[in-house]
Amino acid sequence: MSDNQKEQFPVVDEQGHILGAISRGEAHGGSMALHPVVHLHLFNSCGLLYLQKRPDWKDIQPGKWDTSTGGHIDLGENVEQALRREVREELGVTDFQPVALGHYVFESQRERELVYVHKTVYDGAVRPSEEELAGGRFWSQTEIEENIGKGIFTPNFESEYQRFFGCRHSL
């Protein structure tokens, strides 16, 4: 399996205004065109955070643990539509109430993303997609913080976690 390199994403400015379109291959191939994504941090009522394991075939950060759900906003979608679609596709969850935490620009050597961050508390069944993920599980705050910087999480997850949920923030 592999990502569809011809899939089309919007190109946006830092306020989220659409400027054009770009293929996945171009967006992840060093063009540095800013494209929007959604993230959901899914906590249970005990404060444990669900993380997904990225499959080895992904074109970005294969095999690493990452945000509960993360995905691109498709052309013609708004943030809420993309968030609900991605959570349904990746975790099989449809009955959740997202809380918007903010947005920021993430930049790596290969890409730039406008990341819309959300969280939710959810105690129902989580069924990770066998097609899109290599599994997932709940992690404690201590377990996450003890493993930051050890190369098992994506850099994007680590920086986002510290920004929104680190020691100085409540979950």
Side-chain angles (χ1 to χ4, degrees):
M1 185 168 238
S2 66
D3 286 318
N4 176 359
Q5 297 301 308
K6 295 183 194 254
E7 182 180 5
Q8 293 289 299
F9 301 149
V11 174
V12 297
D13 63 21
E14 291 189 9
Q15 289 72 46
H17 301 111
I18 297 174
L19 306 174
I22 193 169
S23 71
R24 174 189 289 270
E26 292 171 309
H28 292 174
S31 72
M32 305 310 278
L34 187 63
H35 56 286
V37 299
V38 291
H39 284 181
L40 179 74
H41 296 272
L42 187 144
F43 291 90
N44 65 21
S45 59
C46 296
L48 301 176
L49 176 59
Y50 189 89
L51 298 181
Q52 64 164 268
K53 180 103 188 247
R54 295 178 64 79
D56 290 334
W57 54 261
K58 293 300 281 183
D59 61 351
I60 302 284
Q61 299 294 326
K64 294 198 175 180
W65 289 93
D66 202 2
T67 309
S68 307
T69 294
H72 293 90
I73 296 176
D74 290 339
L75 281 173
E77 271 185 323
N78 65 35
V79 172
E80 173 107 4
Q81 289 168 329
L83 182 68
R84 293 201 174 273
R85 175 182 52 77
E86 287 290 344
V87 174
R88 181 184 70 251
E89 289 174 1
E90 292 185 356
L91 303 181
V93 173
T94 57
D95 56 336
F96 67 100
Q97 296 304 314
V99 175
L101 299 177
H103 64 278
Y104 66 94
V105 174
F106 175 77
E107 188 171 321
S108 73
Q109 292 182 336
R110 293 179 61 181
E111 66 172 336
R112 289 178 70 227
E113 295 179 327
L114 180 60
V115 184
Y116 291 93
V117 183
H118 302 80
K119 75 173 183 174
T120 195
V121 175
Y122 178 81
D123 287 318
V126 177
R127 293 175 293 283
S129 166
E130 292 180 14
E131 292 82 37
E132 292 197 35
L133 307 177
R137 71 175 181 89
F138 283 95
W139 297 64
S140 71
Q141 184 174 12
T142 300
E143 201 176 10
I144 291 168
E145 291 177 2
E146 286 174 351
N147 285 288
I148 286 179
K150 294 184 177 176
I152 66 167
F153 300 127
T154 65
N156 186 263
F157 168 74
E158 287 187 359
S159 65
E160 187 170 298
Y161 180 85
Q162 290 171 319
R163 177 182 298 205
F164 291 101
F165 308 111
C167 297
R168 65 191 182 285
H169 299 287
S170 65
L171 305 176

